[in-house]
Amino acid sequence: MSMNNSPNVFLDPNANRFQVNIINESHDNNETSQEDVGSDPPHYEETSFTDEAHNRLKISYRPGKRELYDNFLQNGEKTEASLHPYDTHSNMYYLQTFGHNTVDPVPKIDYYRNTGSVSGNKLNRPSLLEIHEQLAKLLYSTSLLCSQVSSAWHKNVFVFCVILQNIAVNTSSVERVANGEGTAGDDTAASKEEENKTGFVKFGWVKGVLVRCMLNIWGVMLFIRLSWIVGQAGIGLGVIIILLATMVTSITGLSTSAIATNGFVRGGGAYYLISRSLGPEFGGSIGLIFAFANAVAVAMYVVGFAETVVELLKESDTIMVDESNDIRIIGTITVVCLLGISVAGMEWEAKAQVILLVVLLVAIANFFIGTVIPTNNEKKARGFFNYQASIFAENFGPDFRDGEGFFSVFAIFFPAATGILAGANISGDLEDPQGAIPKGTMLAILITTVAYIGVAICAASCVVRDATGNVNDTVVSGMSCNGSSACTLGYDFSRCRNQPCDYGLMNNFQVMSMVSGFGPLITAGIFSATLSSALASLVSAPKVFQALCKDNVYKALHFFAKGYGKNNEPIRGYVLTFVIAMAFILIAELNTIAPIISNFFLASYALINFSCFHASYAKSPGWRPAFRYYNMWVSLFGALLCCGVMFVINWWAALITYAIELFLYIYVTYKKPEVNWGSSAQALYYINALDSALALTAVEDHVKNFRPQCIVLTGAPMIRPALLDITHTFTKNNGLCICCEVYMGPRKLCVKEMNSGMAKKQAWLTKNKRKAFYAAVAADSFRDGVKSLLQASGLGRMKPNTLVIGFKKDWRNATAMQVENYVGVIHDAFDFELGMIIVRISQGFDISQVLQVQEELEKLEQERLALEATIKDNEFEEGKHGICGFFRKASKFNISKHETKKGNTIQSMHVGEFNQKLLEASIQFKKKQGKGTIDVWWLFDDGGLTILIPYILTIRKKWKSCKLRIFTGGKVNRIEEEKLVMASLLSKFRIKFADINIVCDINMKPSKESWKFFEEMIEPYRLHESCKDITTAEKLKRETPWKITDAELEAFKEKSYRQVRLNELLQEHSRAANLIVLSLPVARKGVVSDHLYMAWLEILSKNLPPVLMVRGNHKNVLTFYS
């Protein structure tokens, strides 16, 4: 971008003042001249204001405007003789400021009043157009003679004059300076290498999902606790408990099916579904605890198996050590065997699951067969009488005992319904996950629910609640049964009311074994249920964990992402799961950990339901699940139901689960993994932002809510970080900030380069925590591009109101067209009624060459590291050849050292070329500013932007140690009154200040030395037509219309005096300030030439600390009303 801060600014050898160090942005080793004056504070500017004849510029001046200067003295400025040097508030004219006829007023409280204010009359300051636009001869003269002309007439005539103007803007193709960046690397999907390997095993919906889900849902609860549950709750409430648990799992199954059919599903199960829907924050937190829950569940199921085996050993009196240690021994052996099956491959594990399912189905069938086999006296004594209507009726209602209730019984049963994600957890091993997961999961829920209800009803229809087990407890003749079904069937179990009994639904956990046709098959079913669940969990945990580690959400766990073999088996994950399971088998208190594990699973179910709801609610066009049998509100209900069930099962376990999940969520959010999965959270962000933006359009602007919303012409944001930093300081968390870049050149190439760098540059802003947007345009010229940005940037009420641009430090070396474009941008900003901020720092903003050198250094460092890695890889091979290998190894080591030294030498060489002052200047606004001042030279009332910007800076953390000092013009005989007026104004605005200074000598002529420097600076751009004959003068005007004519220089001599004098005052009062905020002078279009205006800005801000030249759009941005 041709906007500011170009390199190669040379110092005139004839300069005798303001000689300071040259800062060469091209990083060449140029000779510099040291400043003679050693007084503090030091000079800030690197340039001098001397003649640079070898750098003459060719500027295309706007045609048709030169004649306006010829008679300007008669129409515009007052002569020096008519002014008192200190008369800055003339009584003759309302629009006289600092002894200079202008419509630019000084700050005054009356401009900020509301219409009809009782405390004073509201005055209307001149609009920015009135100050900025060229006035016709008649209007200009009249405005000076009749300051009381009505505002409406004034504006009408003014608009008429504007219409008569014919301003031609010359455009040219300028070489684009901003470097195009490389394309930002998009986050890629997981590697597909495993799918390309030969022999990769894929499962269908039956073996991959249905079988696994059925085995995981059917657990020990089916065989040893379901009879107790139906005994406590009765058939009616027992079926409701089963159906309630099924409702939770069914809703979750529907949500899982919807998410799974909304695009390709890779490995990772619940983690994959949640993370791709809700993002890495939720997915990463739930994925870790879900994998951990599965690992601990292995220990729980294995312990259940070991306890059953130990019970059998007790019956046969073959205990090895004692019950506890026997459980550990058997559990360890079992886990090792299961690990061997899992490591052998998914195919072997699938075969084992099928065998276990067959055993389980046989055991269930054995139970149903046993219910119709005629019972015997021994079984009758234990409460089994086959199907009896009286038993069904008696057991239909609840009989809660021992403090149990509906929810406590439900909490005990619900873990038996979990396991519905067993198929989804191996989604990466399914042939068609989109079809298999919905079909297999929902059918498994249906089959297992029917089985649970069938077993519950059959058991409660055949077995009474209490039985003694004594075959002699028969009914005595004449005994009253009192409605007892056992009594009517010939048995007296009445003593169970007074003392505990060992049999019946309420007392005997082995009811299914007693009822079955062949008891050992039930034991085999228990073995099958526990081992299949343990095997499913042992496979699920590493698969989910591997998917989590592959996504690199937790960078420290990436070690476990590696897979082995044709199925990409997570061997490392298997080992970790084995270690966790063994730890809990050997040392854990499983009765305590069990509720937490159940809550972990429920938390996963809740988030899956919420994911489905969230994706539907976000209304993203990308949410198009093939599975249609779901409803967003049902999914939300399911999520709330899961959360409620968590507290029903165990309230403290639920709190622990939420705490762990919240911690992991905050951790992942803080780390911000570099992934982009198109989550529904992103879609909802957009919806919310769009709704808010639309709602904002209905809200009318109010001065109390004004905030700077800035377009910053940084080019690529990393090229001019200091310009972005100072703007970001007063826009962060307060207003809009848009970093803009203009691409110039062949449109096709520009658009291509622009599009390729968009994402990278926005990512740079995000990475560096800059709350700003990046925008770019391709245009034929810099000015045209900026004009497009000024008109099109923003959305609704969120539109920029201020343009921030760096000072064009190289304007004396630039072409005429570049200078015209730069000044034209300022004119365009005023035309569009935007505020204007020009920032100048001594070293300049552009650090593009520094970045290029750093990039080269990084490449050299990468090459060095690659060389060292290659040497280390070859050391082992070379070491195999005895003593020769040893010497070769040593030689290689010396080469490595030599290369390292060489690299360090190159690095030192390049670092030596860096301009350290430039680097320091590029980060000066990132640092905390020490105690000091922000000097505000509020010379003209622009609506308050000049005072608002420094106020915002002082409330920022980095600038809060700085105090505001206010400088404004006034009369020498009214200094105290002027101070009181300004203090009153600032106090009404509630702006704190440290001091107010009234500057009375602004109208004095500058020193001869300063004026000489100014004249020498503009000398290369003067036409000197008065020294030539008329014909030659006219020819020069036509050939170089951009040059400064003698008439123009004379017409604006007093204004030029003022700029030079202001710099002297700034040097005197504000050279030690941390920052200077100064009213920006406005040049009338077509009247003030571009080079003269640039000379004003140059002389005004030279040799100073960082300067912000500010001009608001002459509309109120401050108010003292509540």
Side-chain angles (χ1 to χ4, degrees), residues 1067-1099:
Q1067 297 279 356
E1068 178 183 348
H1069 296 285
S1070 298
R1071 198 163 170 201
N1074 295 55
L1075 182 71
I1076 298 174
V1077 181
L1078 174 67
S1079 291
L1080 173 69
V1082 177
R1084 295 187 182 277
K1085 288 192 301 183
V1087 178
V1088 179
S1089 62
D1090 297 333
H1091 281 75
L1092 180 59
Y1093 185 60
M1094 291 302 300
W1096 288 350
L1097 299 183
E1098 174 77 38
I1099 196 69

Side-chain angles (χ1 to χ4, degrees), residues 309-310 313-314 317-330 333:
V309 175
V310 170
L313 293 178
K314 281 177 61 179
D317 197 21
T318 54
I319 295 293
M320 292 178 285
V321 183
D322 55 57
E323 290 187 24
S324 298
N325 287 317
D326 281 7
I327 290 174
R328 293 190 178 99
I329 293 170
I330 296 171
I333 296 172

Side-chain angles (χ1 to χ4, degrees), residues 6-191:
S6 288
N8 302 325
V9 179
F10 300 97
L11 188 67
D12 191 330
N14 298 325
N16 56 11
R17 190 179 179 190
F18 302 115
Q19 293 180 345
V20 294
N21 296 338
I22 300 174
I23 304 303
N24 184 7
E25 292 192 0
S26 64
H27 310 290
D28 294 331
N29 295 325
N30 295 328
E31 295 181 359
T32 59
S33 299
Q34 299 296 328
E35 183 180 7
D36 296 331
V37 181
S39 59
D40 290 329
H43 286 297
Y44 287 88
E45 185 55 64
E46 78 285 356
T47 59
S48 63
F49 300 94
T50 56
D51 183 14
E52 300 181 55
H54 58 284
N55 287 328
R56 288 183 176 273
L57 307 178
K58 304 290 185 182
I59 299 181
S60 176
Y61 191 81
R62 299 182 181 88
K65 304 301 177 185
R66 179 60 61 184
E67 61 272 12
L68 294 176
Y69 297 132
D70 296 337
N71 298 317
F72 191 82
L73 281 177
Q74 293 91 324
N75 300 332
E77 306 288 329
K78 293 175 67 177
T79 60
E80 180 181 346
S82 64
L83 296 175
H84 188 280
Y86 301 126
D87 184 13
T88 60
H89 287 277
S90 173
N91 295 325
M92 179 178 180
Y93 297 124
Y94 154 67
L95 293 177
Q96 276 193 347
T97 304
F98 306 149
H100 172 69
N101 286 342
T102 177
V103 294
D104 209 3
V106 295
K108 196 170 185 180
I109 193 171
D110 294 331
Y111 296 125
Y112 299 89
R113 299 187 187 279
N114 285 344
T115 303
S117 172
V118 295
S119 58
N121 296 326
K122 175 179 175 58
L123 294 181
N124 294 320
R125 76 175 63 80
S127 68
L128 184 62
L129 290 176
E130 292 170 340
I131 292 179
H132 182 229
E133 285 285 352
Q134 173 191 351
L135 295 179
K137 178 179 179 179
L138 177 62
L139 177 60
Y140 196 88
S141 301
T142 307
S143 66
L144 295 176
L145 297 174
C146 302
S147 61
Q148 303 301 321
V149 170
S150 68
S151 176
W153 182 89
H154 188 153
K155 290 182 178 179
N156 288 337
V157 175
F158 174 74
V159 170
F160 173 74
C161 296
V162 171
I163 294 174
L164 294 179
Q165 292 182 21
N166 180 18
I167 302 175
V169 180
N170 296 328
T171 60
S172 65
S173 298
V174 183
E175 181 181 0
R176 181 172 47 81
V177 178
N179 295 325
E181 304 294 339
T183 305
D186 296 331
D187 292 322
T188 58
S191 174

Side-chain angles (χ1 to χ4, degrees), residues 268-405:
Y271 159 72
Y272 185 90
L273 298 178
I274 294 172
S275 63
R276 267 52 178 184
S277 181
L278 291 180
E281 296 82 8
F282 279 109
S285 59
I286 204 64
L288 195 60
I289 66 175
F290 186 73
F292 177 77
N294 274 283
V296 178
V298 174
M300 293 177 59
Y301 294 131
V302 168
V303 167
F305 168 78
E307 287 179 347
T308 306
V309 175
V310 170
E311 286 296 327
L312 295 176
L313 293 178
K314 281 177 61 179
E315 292 178 4
S316 59
D317 197 21
T318 54
I319 295 293
M320 292 178 285
V321 183
D322 55 57
E323 290 187 24
S324 298
N325 287 317
D326 281 7
I327 290 174
R328 293 190 178 99
I329 293 170
I330 296 171
T332 301
I333 296 172
T334 304
V335 172
V336 171
C337 294
L338 294 177
L339 179 65
I341 295 173
S342 301
V343 173
M346 288 295 296
E347 193 171 2
W348 283 95
E349 188 265 348
K351 291 177 180 178
Q353 292 281 29
V354 171
I355 294 173
L356 292 173
L357 178 62
V358 170
V359 175
L360 193 57
L361 291 174
V362 170
I364 295 174
N366 177 48
F367 167 76
F368 287 114
I369 292 172
T371 59
V372 297
I373 296 176
T375 184
N376 54 38
N377 290 334
E378 183 180 358
K379 289 185 177 181
K380 287 182 179 179
R382 296 182 178 183
F384 174 50
F385 296 95
N386 295 115
Y387 292 104
Q388 301 290 335
S390 59
I391 296 178
F392 179 88
E394 183 181 59
N395 290 339
F396 188 84
D399 185 16
F400 295 113
R401 302 177 187 176
D402 301 326
E404 300 292 349

